[in-house]
Each structure stands twice: as C-alpha cells, then as structure tokens.
Amino acid sequence: MIQFQQVSKSYPGGFDAIKNLSFEVPDGELVFLAGHSGAGKSTLLKLMAGIEKPSSGAVLLNGQNLARMSRASLPFVRRHIGLIFQDHKILYDRNVFDNVRLPLDIIGFDHAEGRRRVLAALDKVGLAGKEKLNPISLSGGEQQRLCIARAVVHRPSILLADEPTANLDSDYAHDILELFKSFHQVGVTILISAHDESLMADYGRRILRLKHGQFTA
Ligand code: ADP
Ligand code: ADP
C-alpha cells in the first residue's frame, strides 16, 4: 500500500510542485496519472520512490514513512520499486544484456540466476535475441522496452513509469500499455503518468488528474 498524507513539495526557489495531496494506492492496483506538462506528475512519482522528500506531510510505503527511514534502509525499500524515468539513461558503452543486468549487479545477484532473469525480462518485452547489440542500434520504441526490462528485472512489487508512452505513436503506445497490463496481471502495483489522457480511456482504470500540483475531478 502506498499512502500520501497531506503531502506538499516546494522546490528551492519556493515553487509549489505538489500541494497538500492525500491519497492511497492499494497493492496490485494499476493507476494512471494524468496532467499537462508541469502539473507535478514527475514530482509525485519521485516522492513515491523516495528520490525527492516532501516539504511537509508523509509518504508511506507499507506503513513506513520514507522520510523517517535511515539512509541505510532506503536502498532496501528501493529494491521493491522499478523505475522508468526519462532521466534514467541507457548506457551506450555496454550492450543490451549488460544494461538490463545493471540493477541485479547493484543488488549483488547470483550470476547464473541473474542471467536467467535478464533473458526472461528481455523475452518479456520482445527483445529476445538482441542482448548482444549496442542499444544505439535499437529503435526508439525498442529502447523504451529496454528501459522497461531494466525496471522489472529484479521483480519489483511497485512499478513507477513517468511518461513511458511519450514520443511513441498511438499503436506503439498501446503495445507498451499492454505490457504494463501484463505486469499488473502478476500482481505488480503500477503507476503510469502521461499528458495524453486519451490513451488511458480504454483501460477502465482509476485516473488521478493533476493540475498545478492538485487533483482535479
Ligand atoms: P510534470 O511531470 O507533470 O511535467 P514536474 O513534476 O516535472 O511536472 O514539475 C512540476 C513543477 O515543478 C514544474 O513547474 C517544474 O518546473 C517544477 N520543478 C520540477 N523539478 C524541479 C526542480 N528540481 N527544481 C525546481 N523546480 C522543479
Ligand atoms: P520466468 O517466468 O521465466 O521464471 P521470471 O520469473 O524471471 O521468469 O519473470 C517473469 C516475467 O515477469 C519477467 O519478465 C519478469 O521481469 C516479469 N515480472 C516483473 N515484475 C514481476 C514481479 N513482481 N513478479 C513476477 N514477475 C515479474
């Protein structure tokens, strides 16, 4: 369960990106986050991942206040979260396999089991057979899939995706959303942001709509 309790976030300079938000996301829900550029979507997801700290209020993951957690325990919490963020860059000095393997190396995962996981994740996103390629040779859509494989390879229980369908044509965007749906079907809690709400309409899921850091109806 993810809980926001009267969360506000002001950036240095005094800009209020998130204003007094309270809401909950139960385990296993797939939720969309809509809103124009600058509405606060990335900030909300970063607060959820513990990348940004609230200026006031509390963000709780399974009852634990992220801001009260010690520096040492935050990485353990992060292991349960998969992130697909625009500023998480693909590394072009290594091949597709090694890019997806990265999160497992950080955890210190067993080598053989790690290899199996990486190949399973690549297979899942439709990149089987491309593991030895340099990511530069992948199309934009394939690079997005690579980011998704990297985000799920450690089997997170929460997946946060910041505008994963930006810059993709609508057929391709739907393929990506179907992929998220398949993770949802195995029990993963998922938040997906997008400024284009029309994509979300077909899915019959809850849509949180942000405007100037607050929810609208
Ligand atoms: P969205 O993801 O909906 O486009 P963001 O959460 O990125 O919205 O941004 C919300 C507001 O906070 C914007 O006005 C943005 O300029 C501001 N903002 C975001 N990150 C920072 C930052 N690191 N420092 C200062 N202002 C920021
Ligand atoms: P296999 O089913 O071949 O044993 P895995 O168990 O490694 O393969 O994972 C199955 C697929 O589901 C993988 O692509 C994995 O990345 C994806 N997945 C992502 N998150 C989860 C999760 N939290 N639980 C289960 N599977 C997940």
Side-chain angles (χ1 to χ4, degrees), residues 11-12 15 17 36-43 52 162:
Y11 283 111
F15 190 85
H36 291 294
S37 179
K41 303 184 297 298
S42 299
T43 301
E52 292 285 356
D162 192 17

